[in-house]
Amino acid sequence: MIREKKTGKGLFVFLCIIIFFISFVGSMVFKAAYKPWAKDYAVVWTDEIGKIYTDLSYGEGEAHKFDLYVPADDTKESYGLVVYLHAGGFTTGDKADDKEMLQWLCSKGYVAAGTNYSLKNEENPTASVYSQSEEIKASIPFVVEEAGKLGYQVDRMAISGGSAGGCLALLYAYRDADTSPVPVKMVFEAVGPASFYAEDWATYGLDKSPEAAAGLFGIMAGKEIKPEMLGTPEYEDAVKDISAYMWVNENTVPTVCAYGVYDKVCPFDSSKHLKKALEENNVIHDYIEFPHSGHALQNDDKCYIRYMDKVVEYLDTYMMQ
Amino acid sequence: MTLMKKRIIIVVIVAIAGVILGRLALRAFLNLMVGGSLFGGNFL
């Protein structure tokens, strides 16, 4: 009798452990996978929505490729182009990572382009944020031309991206828009670094290690930066080509941007210069802070919905003819 | 309260604890990787 009781108790404890484990893992998976709001910004892709042309070339380099998503309706006189640049810390990532976003943009009637750029890695040790931004600049005429060849005359564009892609999108919109074959109407991006000051990047200890800061920002800028240059006008000159906020002026295009207050990858403080520049120059913009999130903007779904609603609003306002 | 009822209540409590701790653990892990606060914002 006592033995039976002990066996029953043991089985019950075992059952509790199993139930705890299933609940624990199940809730983790559910939290990671279930985003009920995401369906509003995604489509189930069919031929009725559009067609995808992959790995079109814009240069000789292996990475010089773009994918074009064109709407099924090819009867319009002209189309808006939305270029989306992938994330990956300038060292990883691929245009295919943003397939859902590009499909969604295409479903809204835009010609959407996902563009690759030469990543900094062992094969491309000299690649930098600057060289990548130059590649993006070089790619746009090819994207517009290719869309035209397919029967989609592009007469306006928006550029966008996430993280590294956001940085490159801002640089194109603020620094290179004048060189664009079609007018750049707006930019939207999330968590893209727009400035490079050691004190803002303190999460890496760069404010305390001038050598490390000079090394990192020198690699990003694609030029030699010495520790003693930090905090001088010479430093500002050295990083200007990769610091989007420095290119903001009264003619800067409407901007929607999102940043996480706890971001450790693109430190939140690095975005304050962009915010200030947009405000001081009276640029039409929405700067959305995610008060509980980091680089993945993962803890503030309501803010993410607000960000995407603003993107739609700006697209409807500035990209419609 | 019968033994069965007690056990059902315990199982429910264990399941709820599992759900809450699972969500918290994922959030803590993501926060560790990319930054973020443990509370506020989304449910857990």
Side-chain angles (χ1 to χ4, degrees), chain A residues 288-309:
Chain A
I288 300 168
E289 271 183 26
F290 286 56
H292 310 99
S293 297
H295 198 61
L297 302 177
Q298 76 279 19
N299 294 332
D300 296 285
D301 286 354
K302 281 181 184 168
C303 294
Y304 204 89
I305 292 166
R306 201 174 130 224
Y307 168 66
M308 288 306 293
D309 285 348

Side-chain angles (χ1 to χ4, degrees), chain A residues 245-315:
Chain A
Y245 93 94
M246 289 187 190
W247 298 87
V248 173
N249 58 40
E250 64 275 12
N251 298 318
T252 293
V253 294
T255 302
V256 186
C257 54
Y259 290 94
V261 170
Y262 289 86
D263 197 335
K264 285 181 179 174
V265 183
C266 164
F268 179 64
D269 282 349
S270 71
S271 72
K272 68 189 177 192
H273 302 284
L274 174 63
K275 186 183 182 202
K276 194 175 169 211
L278 292 170
E279 284 170 355
E280 284 180 353
N281 287 281
N282 295 316
V283 177
I284 297 167
H285 73 280
D286 272 274
Y287 171 95
I288 300 168
E289 271 183 26
F290 286 56
H292 310 99
S293 297
H295 198 61
L297 302 177
Q298 76 279 19
N299 294 332
D300 296 285
D301 286 354
K302 281 181 184 168
C303 294
Y304 204 89
I305 292 166
R306 201 174 130 224
Y307 168 66
M308 288 306 293
D309 285 348
K310 280 289 169 193
V311 168
V312 172
E313 184 187 314
Y314 274 53
L315 285 170

Side-chain angles (χ1 to χ4, degrees), chain B residues 3-18:
Chain B
L3 183 63
M4 181 60 78
K5 271 188 181 170
K6 277 183 190 169
R7 286 185 169 179
I8 288 170
I9 290 168
I10 290 168
V11 163
V12 169
I13 290 169
V14 165
I16 291 169

Side-chain angles (χ1 to χ4, degrees), chain A residues 221-262:
Chain A
K223 54 182 83 166
E224 190 186 4
I225 294 177
K226 292 177 180 162
E228 55 269 25
M229 286 166 64
L230 296 173
T232 66
E234 197 185 356
Y235 176 76
E236 301 248 331
D237 279 349
V239 294
K240 184 173 181 183
D241 283 339
I242 60 165
S243 300
Y245 93 94
M246 289 187 190
W247 298 87
V248 173
N249 58 40
E250 64 275 12
N251 298 318
T252 293
V253 294
T255 302
V256 186
C257 54
Y259 290 94
V261 170
Y262 289 86

Side-chain angles (χ1 to χ4, degrees), chain A residues 104-170:
Chain A
W104 174 71
L105 288 164
C106 184
S107 76
K108 294 184 70 63
Y110 300 107
V111 171
T115 306
N116 274 356
Y117 44 89
S118 300
L119 304 170
K120 181 168 178 60
N121 51 32
E122 284 177 5
E123 287 167 19
N124 295 300
T126 57
S128 63
V129 176
Y130 178 67
S131 68
Q132 292 167 349
S133 69
E134 287 293 304
E135 288 180 2
I136 295 304
K137 183 164 90 173
S139 75
I140 302 298
F142 288 91
V143 175
V144 172
E145 189 186 336
E146 195 62 41
K149 279 186 201 167
L150 294 169
Y152 299 85
Q153 299 304 321
V154 167
D155 67 353
R156 59 203 182 277
M157 70 169 283
I159 190 155
S160 55
S163 193
C167 171
L168 297 173
L170 288 174

Side-chain angles (χ1 to χ4, degrees), chain A residues 30-41:
Chain A
F30 188 75
K31 181 176 169 61
Y34 183 63
K35 308 270 182 205
W37 48 268
K39 67 179 185 330
D40 293 337
Y41 312 106

